[in-house]
Amino acid sequence: MTAERLKPVDAVVIGMGWAGSILANELAAAGLSVVGLERGAMRDTDPDFALPQVHDELRYALRHELMQDLSRETLTFRNRSDEMALPMRQYGSFLLGDGFGGGGSHWNGQTFRFLPQDFRARAFYEERYGRQFVPDGMNLQDWGVSYDELEPHYDRFEYLCGISGKAGNIRGTIQAGGNPFEGPRSRDYPNPPMKSSYAATLFGEAATGFGKHPFVSPSANLSRPYTNPEGQDLGACIVCGFCERFGCGMAARASPQTTLLGALSKKTNFEWRSHAQVTRLLLDATRKRVTGVSYLDAQGRLVEQPADLVILSAFVFNNVRLLLLSGIGAPYDPAGGAGTVGRNFAYQAGGGATLWFDDKILNVFMGSGALGTVVDDENGGIADHAARGFIGGATLNVFSSGAKPMEYRDIPPGVPNWGSAWKQWVAKYYNRTMSIGCRASVMSYRDTYLDLDPTYRDAAGDQLLRLTFDWHDNELIISRYATALIERMGAALNPARMLAQPEQRPYSIEPYQSTHCTGGAVMGTDPRTSVVNRYLQSWDVPNLFVVGASAFPQNAAYGPTGTVGALAYWAADAIKTRYLKSPGSLL
């Protein structure tokens, strides 16, 4: 197929989720001509997320209206490299966003900063316990950037989004009501925290009784109306219970639509193109410089967009797949440990307990995605877990995100899934149920990785990405430890019934867990173990920056979005202040 060659531009941005929207806005503000390419449709709060149609649970939650079309492009999965990988034909473990805003259009809004020690994980644990504490096969490594360097960029992302929360540490001074274990921040959140739900309040009281330090979760669901630094107006959350998998009809949850689209649309040097499925990053004869990208447009025509600078800022899987299809970087080889592209895939482990009460009405139908209470005492290195033998840790939480009528059915073993007994249970306990969860960090390992599948291809004829992943002992120990603690806290609330469920091997891709996938194009200080340097610039192709959660060397016990936003601003700052002045390697 002959490609239509377009007029060159200064920069092309692939994927217009959080990272891509931030980079496009920053580069256009710096005077560059920028084209943003998104394989999905253009979506905005009005009319796409207008009420009441956006509260259609069947359309959005169960049929995944805002997600990638798996019949055209999916990935294959296996637990071990000696197994045959099979395509993921329907959504389960994670949800792949599609269209302007990506996953930022339908996320819950939980916005955390990683701990300072998360960015220097290998150094932290080796200094604390010695080199022998890190087990063989664990690809634990430092990020190459520190918390202190990222702090101003975390701050900027939080003020872009209007995060509602209470600081726990301002310039080294611990603040009452916040997370006392967080890294120092330069100022408080731009908006006060959300009000606490009954379930979250009960959990907070129980956690306090166990000597823990609960705090209200930082939330991109806004507690009051807010105008961000880009001049965009956001509304106040109405606690409707329709966040995850849904667009926000009230413009009350931070998203690329509510925080950046208005500013981008006013920039005459920025152009947005929807239904642009990027298939390759194009290289010159030296293979040391990217010359642009090729993509299929809405009519299936092949288009070539030349550019001096390329920003690859899609989801984890798409970033890695495009690098592999384009032949940029050495593919990871798990047998010998050589190569970098596809290395260090990580996820997040879970666990927790479900509680049913006879004496409490919890109003579970009301909620928002980040309406909750969190405990950080057991997170990465805060407590000394050497005797328990694990690296990393877990956050404990209760989130009241809204119990939607079709999908919310917490039925314990022994209760039928249909019939009169099922009806009686649901009628009694629908509004008397709460869950206490844990979110556990996941380290990277030699045998968990991403590569191209040799058998299966997408609708355009390109190889699908293959995921090889399973839980390891470290993460199972964390989940069992955290779940046992949750079970003791839950018992203190005197439920009529409780069911505790730690993570179990093997990992299954079928039930939904989280979309907190990371790695595959990780950052670092050594080209032998990382795809991009500390500024998220490709070691092999200096005019290519790969931005997003694909850069995480391993995953922490928080949602990744706050760190994705901070890294996007960090990379944008390096491009504007250093790269544009002297194009080439920044190291």
Side-chain angles (χ1 to χ4, degrees), residues 14-16 36-42 67-69 73 91 96-100 272-278 296-298 314-315 317-318 321:
I14 304 167
M16 291 296 291
L37 300 177
E38 170 58 51
R39 70 178 172 201
M42 177 62 202
M67 315 305 169
Q68 178 178 315
D69 183 354
E73 180 188 342
Y91 278 109
L96 310 178
D98 194 51
F100 181 79
W272 152 267
R273 296 179 195 156
S274 59
H275 300 293
Q277 176 73 45
V278 177
L296 297 171
D297 68 8
F315 189 66
F317 299 135
N318 305 94
R321 183 169 181 250

Side-chain angles (χ1 to χ4, degrees), residues 70-87:
L70 299 182
S71 70
R72 297 188 56 81
E73 180 188 342
T74 184
L75 74 157
T76 67
F77 166 73
R78 60 187 180 177
N79 288 121
R80 303 188 313 272
S81 58
D82 60 352
E83 297 176 334
M84 175 71 176
L86 296 174

Side-chain angles (χ1 to χ4, degrees), residues 325-380:
L325 289 173
S326 304
I328 297 176
Y332 175 65
D333 174 17
T340 57
V341 182
R343 185 179 191 270
N344 281 31
F345 175 82
Y347 194 40
Q348 277 185 333
T354 303
L355 288 69
W356 294 270
F357 294 97
D358 287 334
D359 59 347
K360 296 178 178 65
I361 302 295
L362 300 172
N363 293 328
V364 297
F365 53 88
M366 298 296 289
S368 67
L371 181 65
T373 294
V374 180
V375 165
D376 213 21
D377 298 66
E378 306 300 330
N379 196 6

Side-chain angles (χ1 to χ4, degrees), residues 416-423:
N417 289 323
W418 61 281
S420 59
W422 174 82
K423 291 180 182 179

